[in-house]
């Protein structure tokens, strides 16, 4: 696709996050622009998909998307700025990565490209972006294909990172519960104390 052809197009970018509820690990976000001929039947809210289906869809999104980007905010950032602001920061990073990738492929300056991008974010808050428009839609990850794709990339990227953390910090079970406050996770914390990726601003009940 030439830069001229790219300037004639308008794009819809979906953004979603994964990992607001856990008490350990980063929050991840993804931004995705899908082509018109994408196989939309493989998409859904990532929370409603089996791990096998998520990873199969992830592969197809990486291969076929117009562009994609992921971003994260660490547990330290979450403790420093709160989970909402950290989630918005991760969304901004994901969007920036996606836009830079597309601008490079189309040979279009980023500011010019952003004038042709409308963004839909799952939820009720939006990050500060330089796009043409940005709106939040509740349950967009069940309604809008680009947001479904973003939810899949954010979820799979975070899950893979938590498995890697389980190699660094064995005994916490991160490969199983992904940092959520399960009974097994809480028991591990009682025995081992907090790991380096613990969210200290999140308080356990009881």
């Amino acid at each position: 696709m030439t830069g001229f052809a790219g300037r004639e197009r308008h794009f819809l970018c979906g953004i979603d996050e994964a990992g607001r509820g856990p008490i350990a690990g980063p929050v991840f976000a993804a931004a995705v622009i899908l082509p018109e001929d994408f196989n939309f039947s493989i998409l859904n809210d990532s929370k409603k998909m089996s791990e096998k289906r998520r990873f199969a869809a992830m592969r197809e999104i990486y291969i076929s998307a117009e562009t994609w980007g992921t971003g994260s905010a660490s547990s330290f950032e979450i403790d420093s700025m709160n989970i909402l602001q950290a989630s918005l920061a991760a969304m901004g990073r994901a969007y920036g990565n996606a836009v830079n990738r597309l601008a490079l492929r189309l040979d279009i300056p980023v500011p010019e490209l952003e004038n042709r991008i409308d963004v839909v974010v799952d939820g009720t808050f939006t990050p500060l972006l330089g796009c043409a428009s940005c709106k939040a839609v509740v349950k967009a990850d069940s309604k809008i294909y680009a947001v479904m794709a973003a939810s899949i990339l954010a979820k799979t990227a975070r899950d893979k990172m938590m498995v890697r953390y389980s190699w660094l910090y064995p005994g916490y079970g991160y490969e199983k519960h992904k940092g959520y406050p399960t009974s097994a996770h809480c028991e591990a914390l009682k025995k081992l104390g907090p790991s380096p990726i613990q969210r200290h601003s999140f308080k356990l009940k009881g």
Side-chain angles (χ1 to χ4, degrees):
M1 184 177 294
T2 65
F4 177 79
R7 289 184 176 89
E8 298 301 306
R9 300 183 60 194
H10 214 89
F11 301 93
L12 174 65
C13 178
I15 298 179
D16 198 8
E17 53 74 29
R20 287 189 64 171
I23 57 174
V27 60
F28 264 75
V32 179
I33 296 176
L34 296 174
E36 293 180 355
D37 60 351
F38 189 82
N39 180 14
F40 300 109
S41 67
I42 67 173
L43 301 176
N44 200 347
D45 175 358
S46 63
K47 297 185 293 295
K48 299 176 181 178
M49 302 171 72
S50 68
E51 183 176 70
K52 183 178 180 179
R53 284 190 61 205
R54 277 198 303 270
F55 276 90
M58 173 203 72
R59 182 177 181 276
E60 191 59 36
I61 295 164
Y62 281 143
I63 292 172
S64 303
E66 292 277 5
T67 189
W68 57 269
T70 58
S72 64
S74 68
S75 54
F76 175 80
E77 290 179 289
I78 293 169
D79 288 339
S80 298
M81 64 176 74
N82 75 48
I83 185 59
L84 172 60
Q85 294 306 316
S87 298
L88 295 176
M91 289 179 184
R93 293 163 186 169
Y95 171 79
N97 289 333
V99 170
N100 287 336
R101 178 177 281 111
L102 185 59
L104 183 63
R105 181 165 70 83
L106 298 180
D107 190 25
I108 299 176
V110 168
E112 182 177 337
L113 176 60
E114 286 193 295
N115 288 333
R116 294 189 172 275
I117 297 177
D118 295 315
V119 173
V120 176
V121 180
D122 179 56
T124 55
F125 297 93
T126 59
L128 293 175
L129 306 174
C131 54
S133 70
C134 183
K135 66 178 180 179
V137 176
V138 175
K139 297 189 182 301
D141 55 1
S142 295
K143 303 173 184 176
I144 299 170
Y145 288 127
V147 183
M148 293 180 193
S151 77
I152 290 167
L153 293 196
K155 170 67 173 168
T156 54
R158 186 180 188 278
D159 282 357
K160 288 192 289 185
M161 179 60 73
M162 294 307 295
V163 170
R164 295 187 184 102
Y165 277 130
S166 75
W167 305 338
L168 292 174
Y169 312 117
Y172 289 93
Y174 291 139
E175 75 281 5
K176 297 177 181 178
H177 53 66
K178 308 302 189 293
Y180 282 88
T182 64
S183 58
H185 189 185
C186 294
E187 284 301 314
L189 288 173
K190 292 177 182 178
K191 293 178 181 178
L192 303 174
S195 80
I197 62 167
Q198 194 72 35
R199 298 179 184 178
H200 296 283
S201 56
F202 283 44
K203 304 302 181 183
L204 291 175
K205 295 181 179 179

